[in-house]
Structure formats: C-alpha cells, structure tokens
Amino acid sequence: MTNVDMLGMLAGTMSSLVFLPQVIKTWRSKSAKDISLLMFSFATISVILWLAYGIMIKNGPVIYTNSCVLILSVVMLYLKLKYNK
Amino acid sequence: MTNVDMLGMLAGTMSSLVFLPQVIKTWRSKSAKDISLLMFSFATISVILWLAYGIMIKNGPVIYTNSCVLILSVVMLYLKLKYNK
C-alpha cells in the first residue's frame, strides 16, 4: 500500500465517523432544536447516491464509508425528529 | 459521460452542499448550543485529508467537492464558537 492509498483510507475512516460526535451529543442532551433537519436529509440522500455509485463502480472503500455514514445519518434524523423541542 | 459518471457527479454535488442548510439555520437563529463542535472539527480534518488525497491523485471532483465542504465546515466552526450559548 502506498502513502497515497493510506491517506485515502485515513480520509475515508475520518469521514465515516464525522456524524458520531453529534449522535452522542444529541442522544445525551436529548435536545436537537438547533440542528438542521435539512442537513441530515441532504446527507442521507447524498450517501444513498454515493452508495449506488460505489456499488456500480465496485469500489469497496466508497461502499464501506457510505454505509457507516448512512447508519449515522438515519440515526440523527430519528434523534432530530424525536428531540426537536 | 456515462450514467455512472453522472451519478458520481450528482453524489459529489449533493455532498458538497450538505452543511449549507445548517450554516443558514445557525446564521439565522444565532443559536448553536445543540450542535457538536467535535462533529465540525472531525469534518474539517476529514476534508483537509480528502483535499490532500485529491491533489495527490489529481482528481478534480475530489478537490472541488472537498473545497466546498471545507469552506462550509470552517464557517460552521466559527458560527458554533460564536453562538454557543
């Protein structure tokens, strides 16, 4: 594996975890008033498109990264709708 | 351009805009208490890694998408720190 491949893997791993701190914070605080529903709606649609693209070009890292992000996006949509007030 | 290329471009365009609704919402409401600082810190580090990767593999869409996300992430970090209370 080259240094460039490793950088790509590191970038992919980091981005698959971006929503995790928000999920943990909202789950603990039970408050999601300031969070944009549209942001997580856009994120969910966007990762579904990336997943479809990854499956079509048979690219493992794209599929793996976006599967993680999809799960976290859907959890955040649920938390936003549950704790909106 | 194939359908697969178009799907990739659509996915890239969508994901470059994911943070935009949050920036608009926070800028209007001037309230960012519920937003995770760690999420946008992770996002900023992650897009810097993607940008470096995109420059190294000379991939235009990766560079373009992550430049947009980097600007929005930095704006959100600023808004979060400004309107945290």
Side-chain angles (χ1 to χ4, degrees), chain B residues 42-77:
Chain B
F42 270 38
T44 304
I45 296 166
S46 154
V47 291
I48 289 171
L49 293 173
W50 275 117
L51 257 181
Y53 179 71
I55 291 166
M56 276 169 155
I57 66 165
K58 297 185 176 67
N59 182 306
V62 172
I63 296 169
Y64 168 77
T65 305
N66 287 286
S67 300
C68 292
V69 183
L70 181 59
I71 294 166
L72 292 169
S73 294
V74 171
V75 172
M76 265 315 299
L77 278 178

Side-chain angles (χ1 to χ4, degrees), chain A residues 58-73:
Chain A
K58 299 185 175 66
N59 182 307
V62 173
I63 296 170
Y64 167 76
T65 305
N66 286 285
S67 301
C68 293
V69 183
L70 182 59
I71 293 167
L72 292 170
S73 294

Side-chain angles (χ1 to χ4, degrees), chain A residues 15 22 31 33-34 36 50, chain B residues 15 22 31 33-34 36 50:
Chain A
S15 48
Q22 185 65 63
S31 171
K33 181 179 60 67
D34 297 335
S36 165
W50 275 118
Chain B
S15 47
Q22 184 65 62
S31 171
K33 180 179 59 68
D34 296 335
S36 164
W50 275 117

Side-chain angles (χ1 to χ4, degrees), chain B residues 5-24:
Chain B
D5 291 339
M6 278 178 62
L7 181 63
M9 275 193 60
L10 187 64
T13 307
M14 266 310 274
S15 47
S16 56
L17 297 174
V18 160
F19 289 160
L20 189 61
Q22 184 65 62
V23 167
I24 295 170

Side-chain angles (χ1 to χ4, degrees), chain A residues 33-63:
Chain A
K33 181 179 60 67
D34 297 335
I35 290 160
S36 165
L37 179 63
L38 209 56
M39 168 168 76
F40 285 99
S41 309
F42 270 37
T44 304
I45 296 167
S46 155
V47 292
I48 289 170
L49 292 173
W50 275 118
L51 257 182
Y53 179 70
I55 291 165
M56 276 169 155
I57 66 166
K58 299 185 175 66
N59 182 307
V62 173
I63 296 170

